[in-house]
Amino acid sequence: MNFDELECERKLLQAELDSKKTQEERNIMGQFSTPDTLARDVLTHAKNIFPKDNKVLFLDPAFGTGSFYSALNSVFPHESIEIATGFEIDEHYGKPAKKLWTRTDLNYHIADFTNQIPPTEENKYNLVICNPPYVRHHHIKELKEQLKEKALEAANMKVSGLAGLYCYFMAITHPWMKKDGIAGWLIPSEFMDVNYGKAVKEYLLNEVTLLQIHRFDPSDVQFDDALVSSAVVWFKNKEPEDNSTVKFTYGGTIDNPENEKNVSVSILKKEKKWSRFPLSEEREESNEPKLSDYFTIKRGIATGDNKFFILTRNQIEERALPLEQFRPILPSPRYLDTTELKSDDNGYPVMEQQLFVLDCKLPLDEVKRIYPNLYNYLEEGIRSGVSDRYLCKNRKIWYAQENRSESLFYCTYIGRSDQEGKKPFRFILNNSKAIVSNSYLILYPNSKLEKEMNKKPQLKELLLKALNQITGKAMLDEGRVYGGGMHKLEPKELANVPATLITSLISD
Ligand SMILES: C[S@@+](CC[C@H](N)C(=O)[O-])C[C@H]1O[C@@H](n2cnc3c(N)ncnc32)[C@H](O)[C@@H]1O
């Protein structure tokens, strides 16, 4: 059997089959194949940690065209592979892939893996390698309850309703593994930080022996967007021992990472954000001040439809809409190139293109009576479906924004770090009455800080400087990374960022 030739055929097949599906269809079924270099990297590592004299009993429960099976055959000696089994739900990939591999010993099942009954002990597998479907939770609505039960029964994993299909896959595969069997899962690394990932982390710490988590460097261009924020999680199906450690690696390849660090399981049990490893040290229990000691942090307003609700001054004037029913609002961080905003006499920010958000609290009949032009504009919104959008529909008055007062301090909420070490977040001092949308976080000074600012008018500039001196790393330790190197920070996460500089400013 020439596996190199089969791999060439497989790659062509993969490209052909992918091209016949839309991106949306592939999203719904989690159909993003593993690049061959990565599949090889994964199987090479599997071989390094797999017991030397054991025969391989291989399972890939989300097989696709079989990038892992192909890599298995190019990395492991043929005679060491005793059994190989794959499941694939979609005939579109399943049928041609099954045909491709008929000349090999692969057992290929075109079936929903989550509905299969786990095998008896002697038929279980000792090497599971899988890139499970990363289907978001809202696409598996009808299946959730069943899947939850299965995950609990199979692996004692209490999966949250917000978890994607890949979490259930990991749990449901558990009873397919032989004792001491090895598993390598290529999954989105966000499980390391987000709330729904807790169940996966508990499984990895309590039900199996977690060996290694490797994360790729998001700026590494070798993978496309679907994979840059992925992690490969390695574990052994064995009860965990006390005092064991887990290897966290980052960048480079799994076997030759750019950074690595061993972290004890006891630390992992306490740490909510596993993505801080290996680049950051263990969190020290500290009494050091945090931003939450000085600010209440909230997200900016979510309008429900920025295009409809946010207008330029020109647009408002052209339609003769009443400016008093609008509030000034800052443009998205992308279009804001300053860290300090001055105010004009009306409290509007001094900038070339002023923007305003419609925020009218009057009932529709009153709008009709007092502001006929605004009424016509709202009618347009109704006709074009704005009032039916989720956020609008769930408001008492669909065109009234949530109550959020403006603040002196804002922070850009989503950012991309670049290779020059540019900070992915930015604080802004706002002297105007402008509010911000939810692409910013709002920092409301607490009464203690307000008092200090009243005593010392220049303090706000100093505060801005201190906030912008917080290192990108301190911020990223609290935030999370998404695909394409995007960083995100939730209000609670920003609240946890150390604020030592602010304390020293105030004690001065
Ligand atoms: C992320 S892709 C990985 C494919 C392949 N193993 C690879 O690494 O290139 C996940 C695959 O799982 C399949 N899949 C989705 N739901 C499934 C299910 N319930 N049972 C079996 N396969 C499923 C998808 O059709 C897709 O081919």
Side-chain angles (χ1 to χ4, degrees):
M1 200 81 49
N2 187 335
F3 275 94
D4 288 343
E5 274 173 24
L6 282 170
E7 171 59 7
C8 287
E9 274 183 53
R10 186 198 68 80
K11 271 197 281 192
L12 290 174
L13 185 64
Q14 182 77 50
E16 186 197 329
L17 296 173
D18 284 347
S19 71
K20 288 183 181 152
K21 287 216 164 199
T22 63
Q23 188 77 7
E24 171 69 6
E25 283 169 333
R26 288 170 62 199
N27 269 337
I28 291 175
M29 294 193 82
Q31 293 170 326
F32 294 94
S33 73
T34 313
D36 54 343
T37 45
L38 177 56
R40 248 174 175 278
D41 191 17
V42 169
L43 266 299
T44 305
H45 181 71
K47 186 167 174 242
N48 289 344
I49 59 172
F50 194 79
K52 291 284 161 286
D53 302 320
N54 282 13
K55 293 276 184 206
V56 176
L57 312 166
F58 171 87
L59 171 69
D60 179 351
F63 196 87
T65 62
S67 48
F68 289 134
Y69 176 61
S70 178
L72 172 82
N73 280 286
S74 75
V75 169
F76 281 81
H78 184 65
E79 57 288 358
S80 69
I81 306 169
E82 192 168 296
I83 286 181
T85 299
F87 286 89
E88 170 55 53
I89 196 169
D90 187 358
E91 282 192 353
H92 175 76
Y93 290 96
K95 276 193 169 165
K98 189 170 185 173
K99 197 167 155 214
L100 173 77
W101 297 113
T102 40
R103 286 168 276 162
T104 72
D105 298 329
L106 172 72
N107 305 303
Y108 197 158
H109 304 278
I110 302 179
D112 181 345
F113 177 71
T114 64
N115 281 340
Q116 306 303 307
I117 296 168
T120 52
E121 192 57 40
E122 61 277 17
N123 293 319
K124 291 188 179 186
Y125 297 86
N126 61 11
L127 182 61
V128 171
I129 302 290
C130 187
N131 173 1
Y134 177 31
V135 180
R136 287 188 179 273
H137 70 96
H138 45 262
H139 289 310
I140 49 170
K141 259 189 211 141
E142 301 79 43
L143 301 171
K144 247 184 232 175
E145 285 314 310
Q146 267 184 31
L147 287 170
K148 271 189 187 181
E149 268 174 42
K150 286 182 187 171
L152 189 63
E153 197 192 322
N156 198 20
M157 200 193 280
K158 299 170 198 73
V159 184
S160 125
L162 295 177
L165 182 57
Y166 76 93
C167 301
Y168 299 98
F169 244 78
M170 200 182 232
I172 291 169
T173 310
H174 184 77
W176 291 69
M177 288 184 75
K178 272 200 189 299
K179 204 169 165 304
D180 291 337
I182 300 280
W185 287 83
L186 177 61
I187 58 177
S189 62
E190 68 186 42
F191 88 90
M192 298 169 85
D193 297 345
V194 297
N195 289 340
Y196 80 69
K198 190 165 167 244
V200 176
K201 289 190 274 192
E202 280 174 359
Y203 165 73
L204 294 173
L205 292 178
N206 301 321
E207 307 296 328
V208 293
T209 298
L210 180 57
L211 304 170
Q212 180 179 355
I213 300 185
H214 178 82
R215 272 187 304 137
F216 301 100
D217 179 349
S219 57
D220 187 338
V221 287
Q222 82 170 299
F223 309 123
D224 56 19
D225 243 21
L227 277 170
V228 280
S229 54
S230 297
V232 192
V233 178
W234 294 95
F235 60 83
K236 194 181 224 186
N237 187 17
K238 183 177 169 225
E239 275 190 19
E241 281 169 15
D242 292 342
N243 309 326
S244 55
T245 58
V246 180
K247 191 164 153 186
F248 280 75
T249 51
Y250 182 85
T253 63
I254 304 169
D255 283 316
N256 191 15
E258 275 158 20
N259 300 278
E260 69 176 89
K261 183 176 180 61
N262 288 329
V263 184
S264 75
V265 165
S266 55
I267 299 279
L268 292 176
K269 283 188 177 164
K270 285 188 283 178
E271 175 57 62
K272 274 192 179 166
K273 294 208 177 296
W274 285 12
S275 69
R276 65 183 286 119
F277 305 120
L279 300 181
S280 296
E281 292 302 314
E282 289 141 23
R283 203 185 290 267
E284 281 174 25
E285 293 284 334
S286 81
N287 298 325
E288 75 176 354
K290 297 177 179 159
L291 287 182
S292 58
D293 294 329
Y294 300 104
F295 299 98
T296 302
I297 297 170
K298 298 237 160 97
R299 195 165 315 163
I301 57 170
T303 65
D305 187 335
N306 287 350
K307 236 178 159 180
F308 179 80
F309 288 110
I310 302 183
L311 301 180
T312 62
R313 186 186 273 274
N314 275 351
Q315 286 170 317
I316 293 175
E317 283 169 3
E318 270 164 24
R319 289 174 166 267
L321 298 173
L323 195 59
E324 65 269 27
Q325 294 302 324
F326 286 78
R327 294 176 74 181
I329 188 166
L330 296 190
S332 113
R334 250 180 314 162
Y335 301 111
L336 192 72
D337 53 7
T338 175
T339 52
E340 184 163 356
L341 280 162
K342 300 218 163 29
S343 171
D344 67 14
D345 294 343
N346 297 314
Y348 301 150
V350 177
M351 52 187 359
E352 216 168 281
Q353 173 84 288
Q354 285 178 338
L355 295 177
F356 296 84
V357 58
L358 175 63
D359 186 13
C360 174
K361 310 281 193 231
L362 299 172
L364 204 56
D365 51 351
E366 254 179 79
V367 176
K368 188 173 182 182
R369 192 167 53 80
I370 312 175
Y371 302 116
N373 290 345
L374 178 58
Y375 178 79
N376 290 341
Y377 187 64
L378 293 176
E379 286 272 283
E380 268 177 44
I382 296 171
R383 275 198 303 278
S384 61
V386 179
S387 57
D388 280 335
R389 297 187 70 150
Y390 183 79
L391 283 180
C392 304
K393 208 164 61 183
N394 286 297
R395 289 183 193 137
K396 240 180 169 169
I397 298 179
W398 68 266
Y399 46 83
Q401 308 299 335
E402 56 199 310
N403 288 322
R404 283 262 196 287
S405 47
E406 64 273 11
S407 178
L408 266 179
F409 299 101
Y410 296 134
C411 172
T412 58
Y413 169 62
I414 304 172
R416 206 179 271 275
S417 56
D418 62 16
Q419 267 153 339
E420 281 111 55
K422 202 177 124 203
K423 287 204 302 192
F425 305 99
R426 193 164 33 123
F427 290 91
I428 284 138
L429 176 61
N430 167 49
N431 292 296
S432 76
K433 289 205 169 118
I435 187 64
V436 280
S437 71
N438 56 354
S439 46
Y440 293 84
L441 294 175
I442 310 177
L443 293 87
Y444 293 108
N446 61 17
S447 52
K448 183 172 129 197
L449 189 59
E450 288 273 10
K451 255 193 224 152
E452 295 293 331
M453 285 193 294
N454 288 340
K455 274 197 264 169
K456 199 169 152 191
Q458 74 276 29
L459 183 59
K460 57 183 186 183
E461 270 91 15
L462 296 173
L463 281 169
L464 174 70
K465 209 166 152 203
L467 286 167
N468 276 322
Q469 273 172 9
I470 297 174
T471 61
K473 184 171 168 304
M475 304 271 285
L476 298 185
D477 272 359
E478 298 302 330
R480 42 189 92 169
V481 185
Y482 287 79
M486 291 295 283
H487 298 281
K488 242 181 160 181
L489 206 61
E490 301 294 334
K492 270 196 203 146
E493 294 165 343
L494 182 59
N496 263 337
V497 167
T500 335
L501 284 172
I502 296 183
T503 307
S504 51
L505 259 183
I506 288 175
S507 43
D508 277 355

